[in-house]
Amino acid sequence: METIYQTRREALLNRLEPSTAAFIFSGKAPMRSQDESYPFAVDRSFFYLTGIDRENMILLMKKYPDGRTEETLFIEPYSEFWAKWVGGRMKADEAKAVSGIADIRYLEDFDGALNRLVSSWQGLGTLTVGLDLWRYQPDQTDTPAHGLAKRLQERYPAVRIADIRGELAALRMLKDENEIAQMRLAQDATNTAIRAMMRHARPGMNEAELEGAFDFSLACQGEREHAFQSIVAGGKRATTLHYSDNNQVVEDGELVLIDLGSAHNHYCADISRTFPVNGRFTPRQKALYDTVLAAQELVIRSAKPGMTLGELNTLVVDYYKEALEPLGLLKDGKSVGDYYYHGVSHQLGLDTHDVGNPTMNRLQPGMVITVEPGLYVEEEGIGIRIENDILITETGAEDLSAGILKTTEEIESWMKSE
């Protein structure tokens, strides 16, 4: 029986030109100090293509000039010694069972295999080596893919290097049924944990304790992975978009903005909610909150295939141009941009800010995106953001976060109940 990972690899190979060998690395945790390393986080594209969450592995996929394909997975050999200290490495039969790759070899064979690959291509035309050459910051540490590209250019100058980031992104942007099922589980866990946090909240509580209530609830559900570092921001601190100190006291009468989410098998939920720490919105807080909520619901109703994220954001800005004036915000030269200064949506999946391909800038069925309008009124110490995750369907959008408390009435009713 073909695994979903075989299907995904076949889809990637179909997008690659003949005479291409693609290498995808699982990654390796960098050392922190002495004998301790940082927590390992698997390369998301490697996981997408293999289903394996282990470090120090290399996936090789070859597409010959005649269209034939081959796959090899390089892994660390099993060690009885390390098994006693940190647990057993994945054995060859386990890697084969999970990934569906029959040809499993050990990393000590990789250099020889690389040389044989290049040598065997002589007479077949130019060999293209496909690598994910992602780089977010120009001075960030090289990935294993960057390292291999440099080695190839030095030792085998006739080899052509190609960045296959776009091909990987094009596949990952369209979620299959299995992926959506994982994302639904992440939504469910996040929903339960948000309810626990709201129920626990009291005036004078430190943001760290609120964050802890969320974390504890996830742990009680058997979920240890967060989609990203949680934001728990009380009062004026909520006007800083990526506030992450989470260590200040939230006073009576203040709102708390939370932006957080669980991840299930690395598939993310990304949810923002804003609630009064004492359980009761003031009339002013409610008026601002309901304005943000109306903007969000407008986008969710409007989202459909063919639209762009920019068009969704324009819906919010145009709505705010009318809605903010009665609230007294558009005066003294102020504009919408003074109170709303981020986009309304981004792709969501194995990464919270998931991969994108510029050629797929219009929504398609199977994409999952966030919808997160906000209002940030620093002079009043109020920051509000409401974020749901939606699945684009053939005719519109499904709100994956529909079960998470959202209206002021729902929030107040939940927080006062025992």
Side-chain angles (χ1 to χ4, degrees):
M1 179 178 178
E2 187 174 78
T3 69
I4 58 173
Y5 307 109
Q6 288 174 290
T7 302
R8 293 171 186 174
R9 293 194 299 273
E10 288 172 5
L12 176 59
L13 285 164
N14 286 337
R15 298 183 69 92
L16 300 180
E17 296 294 329
S19 293
T20 296
F23 294 84
I24 308 294
F25 297 81
S26 70
K28 187 172 177 62
M31 294 304 295
R32 180 175 178 176
S33 64
Q34 291 297 97
D35 60 350
E36 183 178 2
S37 62
Y38 286 98
F40 170 67
V42 68
D43 178 89
R44 296 309 195 240
S45 290
F46 179 89
F47 180 79
Y48 175 82
L49 294 169
T50 67
I52 296 175
D53 186 359
R54 295 294 183 100
E55 60 184 326
N56 215 19
M57 292 187 177
I58 306 171
L59 170 64
L60 166 60
M61 295 179 292
K62 293 182 282 189
K63 187 173 185 178
Y64 289 97
D66 61 5
R68 289 182 299 113
T69 62
E70 291 180 358
E71 303 174 325
T72 303
L73 183 65
F74 295 87
I75 68 174
E76 294 179 307
Y78 186 84
S79 167
E80 292 288 353
F81 173 81
W82 286 113
K84 291 181 174 65
W85 284 86
V86 296
R89 293 168 177 165
M90 180 173 277
K91 297 180 179 180
D93 57 347
E94 295 174 309
K96 178 179 178 180
V98 174
S99 67
I101 298 172
D103 186 12
I104 308 294
R105 305 184 193 180
Y106 295 117
L107 285 173
E108 60 195 36
D109 301 326
F110 179 74
D111 284 346
L114 180 63
N115 183 66
R116 289 191 296 274
L117 169 67
V118 177
S119 299
S120 68
W121 226 268
Q122 294 177 0
L124 296 178
T126 300
L127 170 64
T128 297
V129 170
L131 298 165
D132 182 354
L133 297 174
W134 161 83
R135 190 182 292 278
Y136 186 67
Q137 298 287 354
D139 59 347
Q140 75 184 50
T141 302
D142 283 351
T143 67
H146 293 118
L148 180 58
K150 290 178 181 178
R151 285 175 55 193
L152 290 168
Q153 289 169 333
E154 292 171 357
R155 301 180 186 182
Y156 310 102
V159 170
R160 175 177 174 267
I161 305 297
D163 187 358
I164 60 171
R165 176 74 166 179
E167 284 75 15
L168 288 164
L171 296 175
R172 285 176 52 185
M173 289 173 72
L174 302 179
K175 309 300 187 289
D176 59 35
E177 291 183 3
N178 177 273
E179 293 177 288
I180 293 170
Q182 305 303 307
M183 298 185 80
R184 292 186 193 279
L185 291 173
Q187 295 283 326
D188 291 344
T190 303
N191 180 15
T192 298
I194 286 175
R195 289 172 180 264
M197 175 194 278
M198 288 183 178
R199 183 67 60 80
H200 185 76
R202 297 289 186 276
M205 186 170 288
N206 194 286
E207 294 159 344
E209 183 175 347
L210 290 170
E211 181 182 12
F214 178 83
D215 293 350
F216 182 68
S217 177
L218 288 187
C220 289
Q221 299 174 70
E223 297 285 2
R224 297 189 62 192
E225 185 181 7
H226 289 63
F228 53 96
Q229 184 177 358
S230 297
I231 295 170
V232 182
K236 184 179 179 180
R237 296 177 295 282
T239 64
T240 299
L241 296 183
H242 288 166
Y243 172 82
S244 59
D245 290 343
N246 300 356
N247 61 1
Q248 300 298 306
V249 170
V250 186
E251 303 293 352
D252 192 14
E254 289 187 322
L255 295 177
V256 182
L257 187 157
I258 58 173
D259 190 339
L260 32 69
S262 175
H264 188 83
N265 288 337
H266 302 314
Y267 283 92
C268 300
D270 185 3
I271 303 297
S272 295
R273 289 293 184 266
T274 309
F275 61 92
V277 72
N278 63 13
R280 300 179 304 279
F281 289 90
T282 68
R284 176 63 171 175
Q285 290 169 347
K286 186 177 188 303
L288 292 170
Y289 186 98
D290 286 344
T291 300
V292 178
L293 182 59
Q296 190 203 47
E297 292 178 339
L298 171 63
V299 173
I300 294 174
R301 288 195 309 270
S302 303
K304 61 183 179 181
M307 297 189 72
T308 67
L309 301 188
E311 289 169 346
L312 295 182
N313 195 58
T314 297
L315 290 175
V316 177
V317 173
D318 289 345
Y319 172 75
Y320 279 168
K321 286 177 181 178
E322 301 296 328
L324 298 192
E325 188 168 0
L327 295 171
L329 296 180
L330 301 183
K331 59 184 181 180
D332 300 327
K334 297 281 190 176
S335 67
V336 171
D338 291 299
Y339 301 104
Y340 171 63
Y341 32 83
H342 59 80
V344 75
S345 295
H346 59 75
Q347 297 285 339
L348 182 69
L350 282 168
D351 288 303
T352 305
H353 288 181
D354 211 21
V355 290
N357 184 317
T359 67
M360 298 171 64
N361 66 331
R362 294 194 176 276
L363 296 176
Q364 297 181 36
M367 289 184 177
V368 178
I369 63 171
T370 64
V371 180
E372 49 180 308
L375 281 178
Y376 310 95
V377 189
E378 185 176 1
E379 60 270 26
E380 298 183 36
I382 294 176
I384 297 170
R385 185 162 62 251
I386 310 171
E387 179 178 17
N388 282 31
D389 306 327
I390 64 172
L391 167 66
I392 303 302
T393 66
E394 295 289 343
T395 58
E398 177 190 349
D399 186 356
L400 299 177
S401 315
I404 303 178
L405 300 169
K406 187 169 71 169
T407 69
T408 57
E409 292 79 13
E410 289 172 340
I411 292 170
E412 288 183 337
S413 176
W414 175 258
M415 291 184 71
K416 74 179 180 182
S417 61
E418 296 297 332

